[in-house]
Amino acid sequence: MFDALMTLSVILSFGFPAMPWFFGARWGARGVWLSTGFAVVIPLCLFPTLFWVACGACGQGAIALFMLGPIWIASALLTVTSAVFSYCKFAR
């Protein structure tokens, strides 16, 4: 379970910066910021809870927080940067 969760977390972190472009193409500037809010809140706020539920008291969740935490923080910053660029493109 832990290895599948780690793999999924790494794959999702690369997909989050693309969300503002997909939502911006559909709903314009409003979709850009809505998707950015979700893409930043999900990894940063729910990340510790996800590993607490998946790992319980095994200790692997702490290892995952230290390994994937910086990746998810960088992904959140890249998502906000991507949102700024997509907002400039889709602003009407």
Side-chain angles (χ1 to χ4, degrees):
M1 170 82 177
F2 180 72
D3 57 344
L5 188 61
M6 289 283 288
T7 304
L8 180 68
S9 297
V10 169
I11 291 170
L12 283 177
S13 68
F14 292 112
F16 281 131
M19 284 181 62
W21 293 95
F22 293 134
F23 279 74
R26 175 76 176 150
W27 291 299
R30 183 181 57 159
V32 168
W33 295 117
L34 181 67
S35 67
T36 302
F38 284 131
V40 171
V41 167
I42 289 170
L44 294 181
C45 294
L46 300 179
F47 186 70
T49 307
L50 176 72
F51 282 99
W52 177 71
V53 170
C55 297
C58 67
Q60 290 181 342
I63 295 169
L65 285 173
F66 286 112
M67 289 173 48
L68 289 176
I71 294 171
W72 282 56
I73 290 170
S75 174
L77 292 174
L78 186 61
T79 302
V80 171
T81 305
S82 175
V84 169
F85 287 124
S86 64
Y87 177 76
C88 292
K89 183 180 186 306
F90 296 115
R92 294 185 181 119

